[in-house]
């Protein structure tokens, strides 16, 4: 397969399915060596091409390292489109993308929408407030009805963990998980990894500190899977009440004191603290949280000089992060947003091109 | 013709200490004799159905002391007729039905309705269990005396715990007057709040809110203390944790009047099933860790857990085919329990006699109902089991109206051949 200019040919040549490890906490392929094949735009492993050939993108946990690498490489090459005077390519012309959002979202939905439109796909947004969801139609019925209109890709966000996974089994269209409950937010983790790679040149060998409400964070979970699979060391830090039971089994180091772990970090990912955590008896006050775990300029002095400060947004200024840090020189928060569009273009591209390769051989 | 001769079956009647190969003669629906190589005259033979029982087990009719029949109120999930048909197909000759129907079984009228309906339509014995509190609200006691008089065999708020400790104390005290069993659904609602599955590494991985073991253990501990205080007969329903097993074991050693049951899913499955996000595995209490499963098996083996009940909880696709978070909790179990009990025998957790006691004489003794043993001279109630046959469980073939069976597609061994209830064939596989 040859790469044509201005068009990325999909790689759907038949390769053996990579066996998944049965232990959900381990990935047996973690240490395999993959070589990137620029000619064919995919990865080779032991001489075999390992293309991206999934119907859905549901989580980072099921992705192999070479697939993450593939998505990030593609995102980097697509990023340039966003800086052109005319920010549109015809790649997904005639494809239909439906954004099915059961939870409020500005950033993620807009980012997917911008990404899809820049690839010339037609997009439709359905949100909880504007649809029959309020009339009591089940999620599955909504999906089936929309599917009858023959879309190519569903981008689904839902407050209940696992919903995109179950829906994906019931539709022949591709499903991209845009965040499910406290479970996964794969596109966010991918854009985070892209931002880290962009600024640090690599992911392998870095120490990434994820700070704050780990228990309720799908961003944390997806990043833990992705970063550790890509060879980074992940440290999670937060109050005991917000660190979930057994998180160590996901391969992270746990700390309850920011002072102990801040110095070793190459990247600090600050998570949003939702104010309803106070009602759930998880924290005594926002004030105490800010004192113990808020990232401020003084705390940052004990960090590495070139540490990256990241945040998935939206920010609670003055709670988990102080304004001078959020807007400071180490912050790459807005780069994350920029890269978000590129990563989502890559995902839409990979899934949108799926059928054009014809039947698997 | 209700004359049967079962030839060379392995008769297991734990209540009478019988476990031997013998012939069983039933005349006119009554059990006449159990003897090896029974000799009967030629004139008799013509009038007797003979069954070759080689390799098969003959056990007293099984009793499931924890079943949701859903009638009255949710007949689209199950009815007394369909639920008892499922029971006899699973080898059960009797079921105790839980009170969380619509309306709740908290008055004599509802108990009488269930019994009347059962008289007309049920394929096996039905023993109503009434509510502890009016409307399961946990505020006022129901009229235990009248409920007992109408046929209730126990009281429970199953599906919900009795959160008010004083009410639970009063229930245990008051139940003593009528010798009613008090069944505890042990769950601290505050600790379990918002929980969807067992709290542990798997719930962390899946981002599903967890229910800690302590939510069950704390209430088991409380109820044991209250049973000790009051002398009321306490039965812990659906034990799922290592902590509960330990607490019940210690309480029994101290002589507290407590018994306990578990369900096949707690000694067979673990929370790793949830990795599929399939709501068929959603149940309350939740599937626990492998260590808990091991403790439950130990509890069964050492007699801490007296009974295996199914907690048969039918739900339709409306409740189950939805987001995991919004799906109802519960699994059906009547038609899959037996092969799973036999699995325990095969892997050496229980011997055959002990296993059978947990579905026959133990529950009948705890509930105080006249079942659980093969009484000569009485109308016969028995179950014939083929313990060797291999097959794949297929919930589409079930008699139950619902299909929420977590064991669908499982390779199992052993099934029910025949269920006799009060001298009549209630179920025959062939």
């Amino acid at each position: 397969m040859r790469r044509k200019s201005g068009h990325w040919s999909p790689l759907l040549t038949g390769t053996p399915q990579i066996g998944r490890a049965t232990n959900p906490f381990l990935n047996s392929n973690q240490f395999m060596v993959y070589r990137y094949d620029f000619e064919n735009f995919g990865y080779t492993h032991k001489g075999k091409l390992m293309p991206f050939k999934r119907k859905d993108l549901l989580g980072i946990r099921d992705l192999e390292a070479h697939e993450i690498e593939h998505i990030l490489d593609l995102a980097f090459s697509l990023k340039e489109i966003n800086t052109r005077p005319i920010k549109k390519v015809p790649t997904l012309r005639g494809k239909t993308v439906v954004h099915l959002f059961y939870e409020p979202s500005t950033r993620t939905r807009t980012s997917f929408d911008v990404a899809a439109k820049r690839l010339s796909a037609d997009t439709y947004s359905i949100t909880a407030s504007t649809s029959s969801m309020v009339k009591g139609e089940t999620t599955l019925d909504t999906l089936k009805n929309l599917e009858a209109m023959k879309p190519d890709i569903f981008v689904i966000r839902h407050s209940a963990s696992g919903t995109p996974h179950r829906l994906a089994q019931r539709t022949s269209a591709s499903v991209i998980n845009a965040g499910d409950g406290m479970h996964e937010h794969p596109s966010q983790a991918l854009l985070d990894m892209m931002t880290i790679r962009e600024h640090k040149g690599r992911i392998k060998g870095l120490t990434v500190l994820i700070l704050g409400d780990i228990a309720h964070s799908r961003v944390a979970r997806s990043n833990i899977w992705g970063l550790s699979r890509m060879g980074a060391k992940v440290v999670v830090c937060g109050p005991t009440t917000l660190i979930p039971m057994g998180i160590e089994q996901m391969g992270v180091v746990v700390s309850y004191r920011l002072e102990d772990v801040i110095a070793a970090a190459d990247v600090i990912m600050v998570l949003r603290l939702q104010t309803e955590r106070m009602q759930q008896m998880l924290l005594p006050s926002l004030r105490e949280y800010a004192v113990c775990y808020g990232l401020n300029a003084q705390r940052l002095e004990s960090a590495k000089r070139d540490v990256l400060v990241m945040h998935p947004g939206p920010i609670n200024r003055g709670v988990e992060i102080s304004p001078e840090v959020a807007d400071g020189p180490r912050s790459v928060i807005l780069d994350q947003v920029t890269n978000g569009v590129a990563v989502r273009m890559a995902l839409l591209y990979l899934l949108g091109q799926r059928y054009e390769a014809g039947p698997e051989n | 013709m209700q004359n049967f001769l079962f030839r060379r079956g392995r008769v297991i009647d734990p209540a009478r200490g019988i476990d031997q190969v013998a012939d069983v003669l039933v005349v006119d629906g009554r059990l006449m004799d159990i003897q090896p190589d029974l000799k009967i005259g030629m004139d008799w033979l013509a009038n007797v159905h003979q069954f070759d029982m080689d390799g098969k087990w003959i056990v007293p009719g099984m009793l499931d002391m924890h079943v949701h029949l859903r009638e009255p109120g949710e007949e689209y999930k199950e009815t007394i007729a369909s639920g008892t048909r499922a029971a006899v197909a699973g080898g059960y000759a009797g079921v105790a039905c839980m009170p969380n129907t619509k309306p709740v079984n908290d008055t004599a009228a509802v108990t009488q309705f269930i019994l009347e309906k059962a008289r007309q339509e049920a394929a096996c014995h039905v023993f109503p269990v009434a509510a502890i509190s009016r409307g399961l609200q946990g505020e006022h006691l129901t009229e235990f005396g009248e409920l007992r008089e109408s046929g209730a065999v126990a009281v429970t708020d199953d599906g919900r715990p009795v959160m008010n400790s004083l009410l639970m104390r009063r229930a245990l005290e008051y139940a003593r007057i009528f010798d009613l069993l008090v069944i505890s659904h042990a769950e601290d609602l505050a600790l379990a709040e918002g929980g969807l599955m067992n709290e542990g590494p798997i719930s962390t991985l899946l981002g599903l809110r967890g229910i800690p073991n302590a939510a069950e253990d704390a209430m088991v501990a409380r109820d044991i203390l209250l049973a000790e205080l009051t002398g009321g007969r306490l039965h812990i329903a659906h034990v799922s944790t290592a902590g509960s097993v330990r607490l019940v074991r210690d309480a029994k050693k101290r002589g507290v009047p407590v018994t306990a049951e578990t369900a096949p899913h707690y000694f067979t499955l673990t929370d790793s099933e949830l990795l599929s996000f399939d709501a068929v595995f959603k149940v309350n209490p939740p599937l626990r860790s492998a260590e808990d499963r091991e403790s439950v098996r130990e509890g069964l083996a050492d007699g801490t857990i007296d009974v295996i009940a199914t907690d048969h909880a039918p739900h339709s696709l409306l409740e189950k085919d939805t987001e995991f978070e919004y799906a109802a909790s519960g699994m059906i179990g009547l038609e899959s329990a037996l092969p799973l009990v036999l699995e325990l025998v095969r892997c050496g957790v229980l011997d055959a006699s002990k296993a059978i006691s947990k579905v026959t004489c133990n529950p009948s003794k705890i509930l105080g109902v006249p079942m659980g043993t093969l009484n000569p001279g009485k109308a016969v109630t028995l179950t014939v089991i083929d313990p060797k046959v291999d097959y794949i469980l297929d919930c589409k073939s079930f008699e139950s109206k619902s299909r929420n069976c977590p064991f669908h597609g499982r390779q199992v061994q052993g099934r029910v051949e025949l269920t006799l209830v009060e001298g009549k064939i209630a179920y025959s596989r062939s």
Side-chain angles (χ1 to χ4, degrees):
Chain A
M1 220 179 288
R2 207 56 38 102
R3 193 180 144 192
K4 293 168 222 151
S5 61
H7 179 82
W8 290 271
S9 37
L11 291 150
L12 293 163
T13 49
T15 52
Q17 198 66 32
I18 301 158
R20 284 273 317 282
T22 44
N23 183 338
F25 297 101
L26 291 177
N27 185 298
S28 59
N29 298 309
Q30 210 161 338
F31 303 109
M32 285 190 180
V33 181
Y34 298 99
R35 280 189 45 230
Y36 194 60
D37 179 346
F38 287 94
E39 178 72 10
N40 283 319
F41 215 69
Y43 281 81
T44 53
H45 172 61
K46 291 183 182 166
K48 286 205 171 105
L49 193 63
M50 315 286 273
F52 192 90
K53 45 182 270 181
R54 289 173 184 271
K55 170 179 160 301
D56 312 299
L57 195 282
L58 298 169
I60 301 288
R61 182 162 70 91
D62 6 271
L63 292 185
E64 308 292 339
H66 72 89
E67 290 175 298
I68 295 173
E69 204 75 55
H70 188 164
I71 296 165
L72 296 187
D73 288 341
L74 186 55
F76 274 112
S77 56
L78 290 168
K79 189 178 174 181
E80 175 267 334
I81 295 167
N82 298 313
T83 60
R84 294 182 191 171
I86 295 167
K87 303 174 183 60
K88 211 174 181 81
V89 292
T91 318
L92 292 186
R93 196 170 53 196
K95 298 283 179 186
T96 306
V97 176
V98 175
H99 303 299
L100 189 52
F101 275 60
Y102 285 83
E103 204 184 50
S105 159
T106 321
R107 192 180 332 256
T108 305
R109 189 160 54 87
T110 311
S111 181
F112 267 110
D113 207 31
V114 168
K117 289 195 162 104
R118 289 196 176 153
L119 294 174
S120 301
D122 298 314
T123 70
Y124 304 89
S125 281
I126 292 135
T127 56
S129 55
T130 59
S131 75
S132 56
M133 294 165 195
V134 284
K135 296 176 199 156
E137 189 180 51
T138 67
T139 322
L140 186 59
D141 282 333
T142 306
L143 182 92
K144 284 287 175 198
N145 276 278
L146 291 169
E147 191 191 16
M149 303 177 200
K150 312 294 177 200
D152 299 285
I153 300 174
F154 284 110
V155 176
I156 301 178
R157 166 169 287 194
H158 202 290
S159 58
S161 301
T163 304
H165 304 67
R166 298 298 292 173
L167 292 178
Q169 294 170 1
R170 309 288 275 271
T171 172
S172 56
S174 291
V175 171
I176 298 178
N177 178 6
D180 65 316
M182 309 186 296
H183 181 221
E184 283 237 40
H185 193 347
S187 63
Q188 177 72 41
L190 289 164
L191 73 87
D192 289 341
M193 289 189 276
M194 181 180 178
T195 308
I196 293 170
R197 212 176 95 177
E198 185 176 48
H199 287 270
K200 294 285 187 187
R202 67 196 166 105
I203 295 171
K204 200 179 164 98
L206 295 180
T207 298
V208 180
L209 170 62
I210 306 180
L211 175 64
D213 185 359
I214 310 296
H216 300 90
S217 177
R218 54 191 173 211
V219 177
R221 285 176 177 80
S222 286
N223 266 305
I224 289 169
W225 296 123
L227 289 165
S228 27
R229 196 141 300 165
M230 299 308 284
K233 177 187 174 188
V234 182
V235 180
V236 298
C237 177
T240 45
T241 48
L242 297 178
I243 304 276
M245 191 185 273
I247 188 96
E248 301 84 358
Q249 292 194 31
M250 287 170 67
V252 301
V253 174
V254 177
S255 167
Y256 306 112
R257 288 166 56 87
L258 181 53
E259 308 84 273
D260 295 349
V261 287
I262 193 167
D266 297 298
V267 178
I268 304 174
M269 246 177 224
V270 186
L271 299 176
R272 174 177 167 79
L273 184 81
Q274 297 196 335
T275 46
E276 62 249 38
R277 303 295 167 235
M278 253 48 63
Q279 280 91 60
Q280 296 162 337
M281 290 178 261
L282 291 164
L283 291 172
S285 68
L286 285 182
R287 198 192 71 85
E288 180 155 291
Y289 181 83
V291 169
C292 296
Y293 299 99
L295 192 64
N296 54 34
Q298 189 207 337
R299 279 241 162 75
L300 211 51
E301 277 172 25
S302 47
K304 288 184 182 169
R305 292 186 62 83
D306 60 346
V307 69
L308 291 186
V309 174
M310 304 173 71
H311 193 300
I315 295 172
N316 285 317
R317 285 175 183 262
V319 182
E320 71 265 6
I321 191 165
S322 71
E324 68 270 24
V325 173
D327 307 330
R330 288 153 173 176
S331 165
V332 292
I333 295 173
L334 294 177
D335 295 356
Q336 290 173 266
V337 179
T338 303
N339 289 337
V341 175
V343 153
R344 286 163 183 135
M345 285 166 81
L347 294 178
L348 291 166
Y349 167 80
L350 288 169
L351 299 184
Q353 292 283 335
R354 181 166 64 99
Y355 296 109
E356 294 197 351
E360 287 182 20
N361 47 5
Chain B
M1 185 173 62
Q2 286 160 20
N3 302 333
F4 310 108
L5 178 59
F6 300 102
R7 283 288 192 197
R8 291 179 303 281
R10 178 176 171 189
V11 180
I12 307 173
D13 184 355
R16 300 202 297 148
I18 298 174
D19 184 356
Q20 65 178 79
V21 174
D23 298 344
V24 176
L25 178 65
V26 174
V27 175
D28 208 13
R30 285 171 192 279
L31 179 66
M32 293 310 286
D33 213 347
I34 303 176
Q35 266 186 46
D37 294 320
L38 197 69
K39 302 273 187 293
I40 56 169
M42 287 300 289
D43 48 336
W44 262 97
L45 273 178
N47 298 318
V48 170
H49 264 304
Q50 288 213 50
F51 295 96
D52 180 18
M53 290 283 109
D54 212 15
K56 301 203 168 77
W57 294 4
I58 300 171
V59 305
M62 288 156 50
L63 170 62
D64 188 347
M65 70 179 291
H66 196 135
V67 170
H68 297 269
L69 290 179
R70 303 294 187 212
E71 187 176 358
E74 290 180 309
E75 290 83 357
Y76 69 101
K77 294 180 178 178
E78 197 80 283
T79 60
I80 289 168
S82 70
T84 53
R85 273 203 313 275
V88 293
Y92 290 99
V95 295
C97 60
M98 292 295 133
N100 60 342
T101 46
K102 291 172 182 170
V104 169
N105 182 10
D106 58 359
T107 54
V110 179
T111 303
Q112 285 157 4
F113 167 83
I114 291 167
L115 284 171
E116 184 50 37
K117 208 62 184 184
R119 241 187 308 277
Q120 294 166 13
E121 297 173 5
C124 69
H125 292 294
V126 172
F127 303 107
V129 178
I132 289 174
S133 69
R134 275 186 237 158
L136 306 176
Q137 294 299 303
E139 286 162 12
H140 306 281
L141 287 182
T142 57
E143 294 163 333
F144 289 6
E146 265 210 6
L147 288 162
R148 177 57 138 174
E149 194 64 25
S150 315
V153 294
V155 288
T156 183
D157 274 2
D158 184 66
R160 308 169 61 102
V162 176
M163 278 301 284
N164 185 326
S165 304
L166 179 62
L167 185 74
M168 192 62 175
R169 176 200 168 149
R170 296 299 182 226
L172 283 159
E173 273 174 340
Y174 194 66
R176 287 184 59 194
I177 309 173
F178 312 103
D179 192 31
L180 269 174
L181 179 72
V182 178
I183 301 174
S184 163
H185 168 111
E187 178 187 11
D188 185 313
L189 289 179
L191 281 172
E193 195 185 333
L196 303 167
M197 64 170 292
N198 182 48
E199 180 172 335
I202 305 278
S203 68
T204 291
L205 183 161
L206 293 176
L208 293 172
R209 264 175 239 278
I211 302 171
N213 281 20
E216 178 173 321
D217 303 349
M219 291 297 259
V220 169
R222 182 201 72 174
D223 289 345
I224 284 170
L225 294 173
L226 293 175
E228 207 165 6
L229 174 72
T230 59
R233 284 200 296 135
L234 173 69
H235 178 77
I236 309 291
H238 40 59
V239 164
S240 74
T241 65
S244 298
V245 174
R246 202 165 51 238
L247 286 159
V248 172
R249 184 180 291 135
D250 293 349
K252 281 186 164 182
K253 267 188 207 140
R254 284 204 311 283
V256 181
V258 61
T259 52
E261 84 195 18
T262 191
H265 42 273
Y266 300 119
F267 63 68
T268 308
L269 305 176
T270 66
D271 58 356
S272 59
E273 301 287 348
L274 280 293
L275 287 165
S276 64
F277 281 110
D278 190 340
V280 80
F281 297 108
K282 189 175 178 186
V283 63
N284 191 23
L287 299 178
R288 302 283 187 185
S289 68
E291 296 82 66
D292 290 305
R293 178 176 64 179
E294 195 49 43
S295 294
V296 167
R297 288 181 179 188
E298 280 164 20
L300 283 166
D302 71 10
T304 301
I305 299 175
D306 311 85
V307 172
I308 296 170
T310 65
D311 196 357
H312 179 81
H315 287 297
S316 78
L317 281 179
L318 284 176
E319 291 81 20
K320 281 295 190 183
D321 191 16
T322 176
E323 290 87 336
F324 190 89
E325 190 168 337
Y326 312 144
S329 293
M331 305 168 162
I332 55 170
L334 284 167
E335 290 165 90
S336 55
L338 181 75
L340 300 166
V341 173
L342 295 178
E343 235 174 76
L344 289 181
V345 177
R346 264 206 319 287
C347 61
V349 175
L350 297 173
D351 61 40
S353 178
K354 235 181 192 173
I356 294 304
S357 73
K358 292 186 195 291
V359 289
T360 57
C361 55
N362 290 2
S364 57
K365 197 171 147 210
I366 291 166
L367 283 179
V369 299
M371 284 183 69
T373 185
L374 296 168
N375 267 332
K378 295 267 174 64
V380 68
T381 295
L382 61 74
T383 303
V384 175
I385 298 164
D386 181 345
K388 285 280 181 275
V389 59
D390 288 303
Y391 64 105
I392 288 169
L393 268 178
D394 177 10
C395 71
K396 287 190 218 81
S397 69
F398 284 1
E399 293 288 336
S400 170
K401 276 192 167 186
S402 290
R403 295 287 173 264
N404 52 316
C405 173
F407 301 107
H408 176 68
R410 187 184 179 91
Q411 178 74 44
V412 293
Q413 203 180 66
R415 81 177 149 209
V416 175
E417 292 289 306
L418 186 71
T419 308
L420 288 186
V421 180
E422 298 297 322
K424 296 193 182 73
I425 295 178
Y427 171 79
S428 171
R429 205 183 61 76
S430 48

